[in-house]
Amino acid sequence: RHPKHVTMAVLPLLNRRLGLSNLLQTASRLTAYRSNSHVSLSAQQVDQFHEDGYVHVPDALPLDLVDELEEVFDDFVAGDVPGRQVPSLDYGDHSQGHNVAREAMRMINVNQPTFHCPSWQGNVFEQACQAWSAQLFDSNMRKDYDQLLMKLPNKSQALFAMHQDMAYWPKLSSAPTRTATFSLALTDAEVERGCLYVVPGSHHAKRLVGDHADHDNTFNQDASKQGEGRALELNSDTLAATAVHVPVRRGDITIHDEWIVHGSGGNSLSDPRKTYVMAFRDVAMVAYEREIGFHHSYTDGEVLTLIRTGKV
């Protein structure tokens, strides 16, 4: 089963811009790119990921490749594309819920951009993440989902509360949960611009910790009417006190695992924060998710409620 996404008028434009010749050029450039040291994680970086639950990798992608990715990113998040009537459930300010007016948005999220725009599949970031995930684990890692995130300028409330990714994902499968979530900085992200913060080592217990509040409890109701209950917030002053910020420069990546406690602050600066996120998970877990109808899409319907309530 495929997600029932609402098509945006911008997508045909993107597919035209990302035609075969462009993809072939990108693939050719990636072949050359793989020959240099930037694509490989050091042994120290791999060890830090497993020990601390995250790692910051400076200069992970050359800036000319970041330029290409950012150009497509900007097309996706543009909210004024002529002819786009109603945004998909996978487009909007997911920190506040559905149907938030553009002028009230604090951030813009685009879920599964490479599903919406198949010609962007296999882009340079995806191929690099495939190589990095094999270094962190092994070759049995597959892309599970991707997401674009832009924190709008001067939006101090454009934050993601402290949480664990596994609160949003299936927990009862026997498939390995192992995950590497890569976040590519398309812009600098200082503390003031809402960079990632993490609680190092909080992943070791491999369980949900503290109290993950579902805000107004809307996820226990109709999944098609999710409001402020979009985000899960982990309430723990003790954990918050041990969090560390991870500021990044354009072209850097951070990588974190599925159990680490993390979040990010608002953007108090006059320029946006742009991030391209991609998660690789064990191939058996990806297969299980698709089997139960979970595609990391807000069009997935009932399975979202089953996950949030711990039934799958």
Side-chain angles (χ1 to χ4, degrees):
R1 185 171 76 85
H2 295 290
K4 300 183 288 295
H5 295 265
V6 179
T7 302
M8 297 182 287
V10 68
L11 301 181
L13 171 64
L14 285 167
N15 280 292
R16 287 197 299 272
R17 289 183 54 179
L18 294 171
L20 179 60
S21 62
N22 196 2
L23 286 176
L24 290 175
Q25 290 174 10
T26 301
S28 175
R29 295 176 64 181
L30 182 62
T31 300
Y33 166 67
R34 278 182 167 159
S35 68
N36 71 44
S37 62
H38 287 74
V39 78
S40 294
L41 302 176
S42 69
Q44 181 179 3
Q45 289 167 335
V46 172
D47 288 345
Q48 183 188 346
F49 172 81
H50 291 289
E51 178 61 29
D52 293 340
Y54 82 101
V55 64
H56 169 209
V57 183
D59 302 319
L61 281 183
L63 294 184
D64 60 332
L65 296 181
V66 175
D67 288 342
E68 295 181 3
L69 293 167
E70 185 180 10
E71 184 177 358
V72 182
F73 178 104
D74 288 343
D75 283 335
F76 265 113
V77 302
D80 56 356
V81 178
R84 185 167 64 81
Q85 301 298 318
V86 179
S88 162
L89 295 180
D90 284 334
Y91 177 97
D93 184 344
H94 294 165
S95 70
Q96 298 189 74
H98 297 314
N99 303 318
V100 177
R102 176 62 183 252
E103 58 271 17
M105 289 183 181
R106 304 164 183 164
M107 64 180 71
I108 297 175
N109 307 84
V110 181
N111 275 9
Q112 297 286 35
T114 53
F115 172 83
H116 288 303
C117 183
S119 56
W120 208 28
Q121 292 175 9
N123 64 56
V124 63
F125 183 46
E126 181 177 331
Q127 294 191 47
C129 289
Q130 181 73 68
W132 291 324
S133 65
Q135 285 188 269
L136 291 168
F137 294 105
D138 54 44
S139 60
N140 289 319
M141 302 294 287
R142 296 292 181 271
K143 185 182 78 171
D144 191 12
Y145 76 94
D146 58 343
Q147 178 184 146
L148 308 179
L149 165 65
M150 182 166 75
K151 294 192 174 188
L152 296 170
N154 302 309
K155 299 293 184 181
S156 60
Q157 295 303 308
L159 52 84
F160 282 108
M162 191 166 60
H163 66 281
Q164 293 167 282
D165 291 341
M166 280 299 295
Y168 293 87
W169 297 346
K171 291 166 273 295
L172 300 185
S173 169
S174 60
T177 66
R178 60 185 190 163
T179 306
T181 298
F182 303 89
S183 298
L184 171 66
L186 300 179
T187 60
D188 292 353
E190 309 91 328
V191 173
E192 297 82 4
R193 207 188 305 258
C195 71
L196 175 75
Y197 62 79
V198 299
V199 179
S202 56
H203 65 302
H204 283 301
K206 295 188 182 301
R207 61 179 177 84
L208 296 181
V209 298
D211 174 26
H212 276 80
D214 196 2
H215 295 305
D216 64 356
N217 205 38
T218 51
F219 255 92
N220 293 329
Q221 302 171 22
D222 185 346
S224 68
K225 298 179 180 178
Q226 299 151 7
E228 294 297 325
R230 270 300 195 26
L232 294 178
E233 179 177 355
L234 174 56
N235 299 316
S236 173
D237 292 338
T238 301
L239 286 171
T242 59
V244 298
H245 288 92
V246 190
V248 292
R249 300 296 300 272
R250 191 165 186 268
D252 294 1
I253 61 169
T254 61
I255 317 171
H256 67 268
D257 92 335
E258 70 275 29
W259 293 105
I260 191 170
V261 175
H262 64 287
S264 63
N267 181 7
S268 60
L269 300 183
S270 57
D271 294 309
R273 175 197 168 191
K274 303 177 185 179
T275 310
Y276 186 6
V277 180
M278 189 170 296
F280 275 67
R281 309 197 74 193
D282 190 280
V283 63
M285 177 58 76
V286 175
Y288 170 75
E289 289 179 336
R290 302 304 181 266
E291 180 183 342
I292 65 172
F294 182 51
H295 306 81
H296 297 267
S297 167
Y298 286 113
T299 67
D300 284 342
E302 182 182 2
V303 71
L304 298 177
T305 303
L306 295 176
I307 291 170
R308 294 294 183 92
T309 55
K311 296 178 180 177
V312 292

